[in-house]
Amino acid sequence: MTPQEMWNAYKKINPSIGDEIDAWAFGVEPDLLADLVLKGEKTATASAYDLYALEGELLPQEGTFDIILDSQNQAVCIVEITRVSVQPFNQVSAQHAFNEGEGDKSLAYWRQVHEDCFAEWLREAGQTFTPDSKVVLEEFRKVYPL
């Protein structure tokens, strides 16, 4: 299903969402992570704060809706952002790691995987990752399909 088709289907249920679509895929393993969201096992994500400024992007906003895409840019589901916070990488909680639903859901696994990704992405952008680097933490709930 295309993002527009999914948005139109959900708009029949929730007309207040408007017409502006924000659709994106997870940067690493988009199919696996989108499937975890679809199953309700993944209800959070994290991204490197410094990349928002470098790319001129606004931070995610609570109460907005996003379409999660697979690796083929097909719509998998729609989520509502329920919470957004910014904190140092080394202060991310075990609960947040668990909510991301990846690997064994432990904080140790989360730190290993995310440090590798963030370090690479920041290096590509001419930045340096440190344990104090800020991360954007998002929590969301799947709203479509139910």
Side-chain angles (χ1 to χ4, degrees):
M1 177 178 289
T2 69
Q4 187 66 59
E5 289 168 341
M6 183 171 280
W7 195 258
N8 291 344
Y10 183 60
K11 194 171 178 178
K12 291 176 183 173
I13 300 167
N14 183 3
S16 68
I17 63 169
D19 295 321
E20 187 175 329
I21 298 174
D22 191 5
W24 50 271
F26 292 100
V28 177
E29 300 185 281
D31 295 330
L32 171 68
L33 299 182
D35 190 53
L36 290 175
V37 174
L38 185 62
K39 292 177 181 174
E41 294 178 32
K42 181 174 181 60
T43 60
T45 194
S47 49
Y49 176 83
D50 291 338
L51 296 179
Y52 285 90
L54 288 172
E55 296 171 6
E57 286 188 40
L58 297 174
L59 292 181
Q61 299 294 309
E62 293 175 18
T64 59
F65 297 85
D66 292 345
I67 296 178
I68 305 299
L69 303 174
D70 65 16
S71 62
Q72 304 300 308
N73 290 322
Q74 291 297 299
V76 174
C77 60
I78 298 176
V79 298
E80 178 182 10
I81 308 301
T82 58
R83 186 166 188 263
V84 179
S85 62
V86 177
Q87 59 187 248
F89 178 87
N90 60 7
Q91 292 181 21
V92 172
S93 71
Q95 185 62 55
H96 182 84
F98 181 84
N99 291 346
E100 286 213 25
E102 301 171 33
D104 66 3
K105 301 183 183 181
S106 71
L107 182 57
Y109 177 88
W110 184 92
R111 283 187 174 155
Q112 176 190 348
V113 169
H114 286 79
E115 181 173 345
D116 291 346
C117 289
F118 294 161
E120 179 182 337
W121 294 338
L122 288 169
R123 185 172 47 255
E124 289 172 359
Q127 303 286 317
T128 302
F129 174 84
T130 71
D132 293 320
S133 292
K134 292 181 182 177
V135 293
V136 178
L137 304 177
E138 292 178 67
E139 296 174 24
F140 51 80
R141 66 183 184 96
K142 182 182 67 150
V143 296
Y144 188 84
L146 297 176

